[in-house]
């Protein structure tokens, strides 16, 4: 939390600077960063304010399609959390259109997942299942393992709710495979980090030993030279 507080203060200073320079594109990026920072700080009112500010600037600039699509995506999330499902879908449709123009499969995976979440909230499970399957079938190759795991888990829950237990089981099995893969990857990364730490510590110890040895040799040489001078 402390790091987010520090980031917030720097971002506000940067925002004031960009305001004076009338740099709209940088202002959009700063406002979006403030939105994400305030979200992490659990300050939804401030987060929503900067999201709106970023969107207003993006609407004026019309120069960054990806940023505009991302802002629409987050506006849909905000409306979903408020229970305004129609508005959430409208914003998501705008986001989807822009991501399609950019051929951004990674983001379109998230868009379809969001559609499913909207329909799940309304207990419209067949529609949700359609979007979850579309996310996996059409855009899954460009998603993360954790993202696909979340979708398979949701898919299993939806199938179970409508009584399609075999499909629920199959989806849950896929989710467990992905979960195990993520766990194994984390364990592997942890092992690599420990090995690197051991190697670094070993190298540091070897350097210190070599340094001590050099100092002893230098002292011995100096002692011998001093004795030669004394006997000279």
């Amino acid at each position: 939390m402390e790091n987010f507080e520090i980031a917030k203060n720097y971002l506000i200073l940067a925002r004031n600077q960009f305001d004076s320079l009338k740099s709209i594109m940088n202002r959009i990026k700063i406002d979006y960063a403030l939105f994400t920072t305030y979200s992490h700080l659990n300050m939804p009112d401030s987060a929503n304010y900067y999201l709106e500010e970023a969107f207003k600037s993006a609407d004026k600039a019309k120069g960054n399609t990806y940023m505009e699509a991302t802002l629409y995506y987050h506006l849909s999330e905000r409306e979903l959390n408020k229970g305004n499902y129609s508005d959430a879908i409208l914003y998501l449709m705008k986001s989807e259109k822009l991501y399609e123009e950019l051929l951004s499969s990674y983001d379109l995976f998230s868009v379809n997942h969001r559609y499913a979440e909207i329909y799940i909230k309304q207990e419209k499970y067949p529609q949700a299942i359609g979007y979850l399957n579309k996310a996996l079938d059409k855009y899954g190759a460009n998603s993360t393992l954790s993202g696909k795991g979340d979708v398979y888990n949701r898919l299993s829950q939806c199938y179970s709710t409508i009584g399609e237990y075999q499909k629920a089981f199959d989806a849950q099995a896929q989710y467990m495979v992905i979960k195990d893969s993520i766990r194994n990857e984390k364990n592997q990364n942890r092992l690599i980090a420990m090995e690197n730490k051991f190697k670094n510590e070993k190298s540091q110890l070897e350097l210190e030993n070599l340094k001590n040895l050099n100092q002893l040799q230098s002292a011995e040489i100096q002692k011998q030279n001093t004795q030669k001078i004394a006997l000279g």
Side-chain angles (χ1 to χ4, degrees):
M1 283 295 181
E2 184 180 349
N3 290 337
F4 285 114
E5 281 287 351
I6 294 170
K8 179 196 71 175
N9 293 332
Y10 278 115
L11 287 168
I12 289 174
L13 288 173
R15 187 178 192 267
N16 293 334
Q17 182 65 31
F18 288 132
D19 273 351
S20 64
L21 295 173
K22 301 187 184 300
S23 176
I24 293 179
M25 293 310 301
N26 285 321
R27 166 72 179 272
I28 295 170
K29 292 175 183 177
I30 291 293
D31 283 340
Y32 180 70
L34 280 165
F35 156 70
T36 57
T37 301
Y38 276 111
S39 295
H40 283 292
L41 290 170
N42 295 318
M43 300 174 68
D45 290 340
S46 296
N48 285 330
Y49 170 78
Y50 285 108
L51 178 59
E52 288 284 358
E53 289 296 299
F55 182 75
K56 288 176 186 175
S57 297
D59 196 44
K60 291 178 184 177
K62 294 293 184 185
N64 190 325
T65 303
Y66 185 82
M67 180 62 73
E68 190 177 354
T70 302
L71 292 173
Y72 276 127
Y73 179 81
H74 285 293
L75 284 170
S76 76
E77 180 181 22
R78 185 189 68 181
E79 297 307 311
L80 171 59
N81 291 334
K82 289 181 179 180
N84 299 331
Y85 304 124
S86 295
D87 289 340
I89 288 174
L90 286 174
Y91 283 129
L92 201 54
M93 288 172 66
K94 291 180 179 181
S95 176
E96 181 181 25
K97 181 181 178 183
L98 294 172
Y99 282 137
E100 284 176 344
E101 290 177 9
L102 297 168
L103 303 177
S104 182
S105 295
Y106 176 86
D107 294 292
L108 287 166
F109 178 91
S110 298
V111 165
N112 281 276
H113 191 179
R114 174 66 50 75
Y115 274 126
E117 291 299 327
I118 294 170
Y119 285 112
I120 288 170
K121 288 285 187 180
Q122 300 174 83
E123 299 183 357
K124 297 179 179 179
Y125 298 106
Q127 292 94 322
I129 288 169
Y131 280 108
L132 291 169
N133 279 319
K134 182 180 177 183
L136 290 167
D137 296 341
K138 193 170 182 179
Y139 305 113
N142 295 298
S143 179
T144 62
L145 268 180
S146 61
K148 284 189 282 190
D150 290 341
V151 168
Y152 273 118
N153 192 34
R154 270 309 207 187
L155 199 54
S156 176
Q157 293 169 0
C158 288
Y159 278 131
S160 180
T161 301
I162 63 174
E164 296 198 32
Y165 300 114
Q166 182 59 52
K167 290 182 179 179
F169 175 81
D170 293 341
Q172 188 66 18
Q174 289 293 329
Y175 167 67
M176 295 305 297
V177 168
I178 291 173
K179 188 177 178 181
D180 287 342
S181 296
I182 292 172
R183 186 186 298 112
N184 291 337
E185 184 178 347
K186 286 182 179 178
N187 289 338
Q188 182 66 24
N189 290 340
R190 192 178 295 114
L191 179 62
I192 291 170
M194 290 174 64
E195 288 177 349
N196 286 335
K197 182 181 179 183
F198 173 76
K199 288 178 182 177
N200 290 336
E201 289 176 349
K202 183 181 178 183
S203 297
Q204 184 63 35
L205 183 61
E206 289 174 349
L207 287 172
E208 289 177 359
N209 290 337
L210 181 61
K211 182 180 178 181
N212 291 334
L213 180 61
N214 288 337
Q215 288 176 343
L216 288 172
Q217 289 176 341
S218 296
E220 182 64 26
I221 291 170
Q222 185 176 2
K223 179 181 177 182
Q224 292 174 1
N225 290 337
T226 301
Q227 289 175 345
K228 286 180 182 178
I229 292 171
L231 293 173

